[in-house]
Amino acid sequence: MKRRVLLVEDSATVRGRLREVLESDPELELVGEACDGKRAIELCQELRPDVVTMDMMLPVMSGLAATEYIMAHCPTPILIVSASINRGEVFKTYEALAAGAVDVLEKPRGDEPDGSWERKYLQTLKLVSRIRVITHPRARLRRPDPDPVQRSSEPPPQREYGLVAIGASTGGPGAIVEVLRGLPPEFRLPVLIVLHISEPFGSAFADWLDTQTARPVAYPSDGDLLSAASGRVVMAPPGRHMTVQNGRLRLTREAERHSCRPSVDVLFESLAHECGSTTAACLLTGMGRDGAAGLLALKRAGALTIAQDEASCVVYGMPREAVLLNAAQRVLPLSEIAPTLRRATGQRAGGLP
């Protein structure tokens, strides 16, 4: 069955090019076109496409506003197709991802090898079209969980934790923001994050995330002391693995893991070796299996291990793999992850109850 596509782009030139690309693929059917956000919403409600390819900078109503409305009222997988050179547009793209858009692809610059951008666009669009999305914000939704042991309300034991580590991929921007906003100002543990995000959009993500929470967020330099990150969020920079060795943050360009660099597994495995039971680790929404083996290594080292549950995930891929490995001590809705971290690390987080 063909995947039905709604094309949203205000530039007639770009829209024409994307139309030609879409119509060249026998697996896709272009069912509608819109040149502003308001019309995009109307067509999405009328046509019920399988996927929307969405520009960010639109007249009448922005791509961000259209994305927020669509995800709240007629949830549909959305691929953002946006420019990466304008900081304001990049920030809007992050906000759209946090609002429920599935993925982002840079607009063609014109200097790509012949046909390469078009192949990537079609491949990404087909992948996005098959992702089940639900009404946003997802954390307010609940489904019964058949596993009462992993979802037990029994609080995790408090002990002297040294850091929190978070891994995420597809759907990660919104999930990470929710977890960080759920941590109180007194929470002084370093928070280390690995997020898979399409290049070149990863380069400014830490700057954007810094505007979403009172907790400072930055990319580290190779050799930074972990102790200097107290009360801060440290993100693995694009194209570099991040590890902890001998109390320092290390950045490397070693081989990709699961086609990812940075890799969640690489960070988690280093923490299992270096920090063991003083780590609290969370594996959030994402496609693939990066992070599952690392979460298992942390569990075996005595760490607190948490996986996001299926109902609140944009893509229940990475957390599912962790659950199948029995790597997660807790499988929790997104809204319960920050409170669980607060309870577990209470003595180290400024004496929180």
Side-chain angles (χ1 to χ4, degrees):
M1 181 182 295
K2 290 187 176 184
R3 311 302 291 178
R4 303 170 71 251
V5 182
L6 172 61
L7 170 60
V8 184
E9 169 60 58
D10 67 323
S11 165
T13 301
V14 176
R15 192 167 65 252
R17 179 176 179 184
L18 295 181
R19 182 191 307 119
E20 290 178 1
V21 174
L22 292 169
E23 290 178 342
S24 72
D25 193 304
E27 297 179 21
L28 299 174
E29 178 185 1
L30 179 60
V31 296
E33 299 179 26
C35 58
D36 65 72
K38 182 175 182 293
R39 184 60 177 155
I41 291 172
E42 293 170 351
L43 289 178
C44 195
Q45 293 175 318
E46 175 187 340
L47 300 173
R48 297 292 175 172
D50 296 309
V51 62
V52 178
T53 170
M54 178 79 74
D55 186 20
M56 279 289 93
M57 309 305 286
L58 298 171
V60 184
M61 178 183 285
S62 70
L64 171 60
T67 296
E68 291 173 335
Y69 189 96
I70 289 169
M71 295 312 300
H73 299 283
C74 50
T76 306
I78 295 175
L79 172 65
I80 301 297
V81 182
S82 179
S84 66
I85 57 175
N86 181 295
R87 185 178 177 88
E89 189 166 351
V90 169
F91 274 34
K92 294 295 184 185
T93 296
Y94 296 149
E95 291 170 18
L97 290 170
V102 174
D103 206 349
V104 57
L105 186 66
E106 185 183 26
K107 282 186 175 179
R109 300 183 308 271
D111 59 352
E112 300 89 356
D114 196 33
S116 64
W117 187 90
E118 289 81 359
R119 287 191 294 272
K120 185 174 183 180
Y121 175 63
L122 292 172
Q123 179 184 28
T124 306
L125 197 62
K126 292 174 189 177
L127 190 62
V128 168
S129 74
R130 288 173 169 80
I131 291 175
R132 175 189 60 83
V133 294
I134 55 178
T135 304
H136 206 75
R138 307 177 194 287
R140 296 180 182 173
L141 301 179
R142 294 290 179 270
R143 294 180 188 172
D145 193 316
D147 190 342
V149 176
Q150 291 181 315
R151 284 288 302 277
S152 170
S153 60
E154 178 183 348
Q158 286 191 353
R159 59 172 178 262
E160 293 292 305
Y161 288 94
L163 62 90
V164 171
I166 298 173
S169 184
T170 311
I176 289 170
V177 167
E178 176 153 348
V179 172
L180 293 181
R181 286 179 176 171
L183 301 178
E186 312 92 273
F187 193 92
R188 302 307 302 164
L189 300 185
V191 180
L192 308 185
I193 295 177
V194 171
L195 171 68
H196 305 157
I197 188 167
S198 300
E199 287 303 320
F201 288 93
S203 59
F205 187 82
D207 294 340
W208 174 80
L209 190 59
D210 187 68
T211 69
Q212 302 300 303
T213 172
R215 203 169 304 277
V217 183
Y219 296 123
S221 297
D222 183 45
D224 283 354
L225 286 169
L226 178 61
S227 59
S230 176
R232 306 176 69 86
V233 177
V234 178
M235 287 201 66
R240 310 277 298 273
H241 291 308
M242 182 170 69
T243 64
V244 175
Q245 298 177 19
N246 299 320
R248 293 183 180 273
L249 295 165
R250 293 296 182 183
L251 305 177
T252 75
R253 297 190 185 275
E254 293 181 3
E256 295 179 348
R257 184 83 66 90
H258 310 300
S259 300
C260 299
R261 190 175 58 221
S263 161
V264 182
D265 270 339
V266 169
L267 173 62
F268 282 5
E269 289 169 5
S270 78
L271 294 176
H273 182 266
E274 175 84 7
C275 306
S277 63
T278 64
T279 302
C282 310
L283 191 59
L284 306 181
T285 174
M287 195 175 301
R289 58 192 177 95
D290 186 32
L295 200 70
L296 179 60
L298 278 166
K299 181 184 178 184
R300 289 172 173 168
L304 171 63
T305 58
I306 299 170
Q308 186 178 348
D309 75 349
E310 181 176 8
S312 63
C313 279
V314 174
V315 179
Y316 191 54
M318 288 158 47
R320 177 180 181 274
E321 293 298 320
V323 171
L324 291 175
L325 290 177
N326 196 28
Q329 295 167 332
R330 299 286 191 278
V331 180
L332 300 174
L334 181 61
S335 61
E336 293 182 18
I337 291 176
T340 299
L341 292 173
R342 291 201 307 264
R343 290 192 297 270
T345 61
Q347 293 178 339
R348 287 291 299 273
L352 294 172

